[in-house]
């Protein structure tokens, strides 16, 4: 038995360890649900499954690949959660998916592609973040979920009068009643992007129990 095969495979999983650690460090730095250890285990595990699928030689290798993708889908779904009207964890879920793909690429000895894609991932995580923040600052439309104390019959008219006074376009998307409280979903467009004025209005309004954007 050629022992060099084992050294080669050990080098593959070691490389997968490094790639997973590099991606995981960024998630760990930002205190995300899937951090350093998770990304390492995903990359190394995907690489190992790919190596084993080639060694068994039974059936089609793409069956192992498809099962890896299915399993990673369950992990990715676990880090996505909805908070108010916002959905968080999509970037982490996408990173889990691509980290598994990188581990599979290493398992198939496709090192050049692994390095290129890893570089793209790091660019997307570090370089493009300021660009995304700049684009977000240009957004003229925001969705507000406003939870009022009891029904607060005068709140809706006062809020919409505030919008009109500040030349803001708005649309009441939905009104819901929860127990004795009311929840309003508004889509607001501010021409000068002065959403702090809205926040201050809601913070000072005694009829507002809570709100989020």
């Amino acid at each position: 038995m050629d022992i060099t095969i084992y050294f080669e495979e050990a080098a593959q999983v070691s490389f997968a360890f490094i790639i997973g650690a590099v991606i995981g460090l960024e998630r760990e730095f930002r205190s995300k649900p899937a951090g350093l250890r998770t990304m390492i285990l995903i990359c190394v595990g995907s690489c190992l499954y790919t190596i084993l699928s080639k060694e068994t030689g039974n059936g089609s290798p793409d069956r192992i690949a498809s099962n890896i993708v299915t399993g990673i889908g369950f992990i990715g779904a676990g880090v996505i959660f909805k908070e108010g009207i916002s959905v968080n964890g999509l970037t982490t879920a996408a990173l889990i998916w691509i980290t598994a793909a990188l581990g599979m690429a290493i398992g198939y000895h496709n090192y050049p592609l692994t390095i290129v894609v890893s570089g793209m991932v790091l660019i997307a995580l570090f370089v493009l973040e300021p660009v995304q923040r700049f684009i977000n600052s240009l957004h003229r439309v925001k969705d507000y979920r406003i939870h009022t104390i009891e029904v607060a019959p005068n709140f809706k008219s006062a809020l919409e009068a505030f919008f009109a006074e500040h030349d803001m376009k708005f649309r009441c998307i939905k009104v819901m009643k929860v127990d004795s409280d009311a929840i309003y979903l508004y889509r607001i467009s501010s021409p000068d992007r002065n959403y702090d004025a809205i926040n201050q209005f809601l913070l000072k309004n005694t009829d507002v129990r809570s709100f989020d954007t």
Side-chain angles (χ1 to χ4, degrees):
M1 185 176 292
D2 190 359
I3 197 171
T4 57
I5 296 176
Y6 296 107
F7 286 113
E8 182 181 355
E9 292 174 348
Q12 285 178 275
V13 294
S14 298
F15 187 40
F17 182 96
I18 294 171
I19 294 296
V22 170
I23 296 174
L25 279 172
E26 188 273 342
R27 294 288 90 184
E28 195 74 38
F29 176 75
R30 301 186 193 282
S31 300
K32 298 299 181 180
L36 177 65
R37 292 181 297 175
T38 304
M39 292 300 182
I40 290 174
L41 292 173
I42 288 170
C43 198
V44 171
S46 299
C47 179
L48 180 60
Y49 270 116
T50 304
I51 293 171
L52 294 176
S53 70
K54 293 190 303 180
E55 288 184 350
T56 55
N58 296 326
S60 177
D62 60 357
R63 291 182 60 189
I64 297 293
S66 64
N67 288 329
I68 292 174
V69 173
T70 302
I72 289 301
F74 283 105
I75 299 175
V79 299
I80 299 174
F81 60 95
K82 190 173 184 296
E83 184 178 1
I85 58 176
S86 301
V87 178
N88 298 314
L90 291 175
T91 301
T92 302
L95 273 177
I96 289 174
W97 175 68
I98 200 166
T99 301
L102 289 170
M104 293 170 64
I106 296 169
Y108 281 115
H109 300 279
N110 200 334
Y111 302 114
L113 182 62
T114 302
I115 293 171
V116 170
V117 174
S118 298
M120 291 179 177
V121 171
L122 294 178
I123 289 172
L125 292 175
F126 291 101
V127 179
L128 295 184
E129 187 194 10
V131 177
Q132 183 180 8
R133 284 203 302 264
F134 174 74
I135 294 173
N136 289 339
S137 68
L138 298 178
H139 283 177
R140 296 195 173 192
V141 177
K142 275 194 174 184
D143 291 338
Y144 274 77
R145 183 178 187 272
I146 306 167
H147 188 167
T148 63
I149 300 173
E150 298 184 345
V151 177
N154 298 324
F155 171 77
K156 189 173 185 291
S157 58
L159 179 63
E160 294 182 355
F162 174 84
F163 292 152
E165 180 183 347
H166 290 78
D167 297 322
M168 296 178 181
K169 296 180 180 179
F170 62 91
R171 182 164 66 93
C172 185
I173 302 173
K174 185 183 291 187
V175 179
M176 298 174 288
K177 185 177 181 182
V178 179
D179 296 328
S180 61
D181 295 349
I183 296 177
Y184 300 89
L185 298 181
Y186 272 93
R187 180 157 293 167
I188 306 164
S189 175
S190 176
D192 56 357
R193 296 182 292 277
N194 186 20
Y195 293 102
D196 285 338
I198 303 174
N199 297 339
Q200 290 301 318
F201 174 84
L202 295 174
L203 286 170
K204 294 177 181 178
N205 195 301
T206 56
D207 289 331
V208 176
R209 185 185 298 275
S210 65
F211 71 93
D212 54 72
T213 61

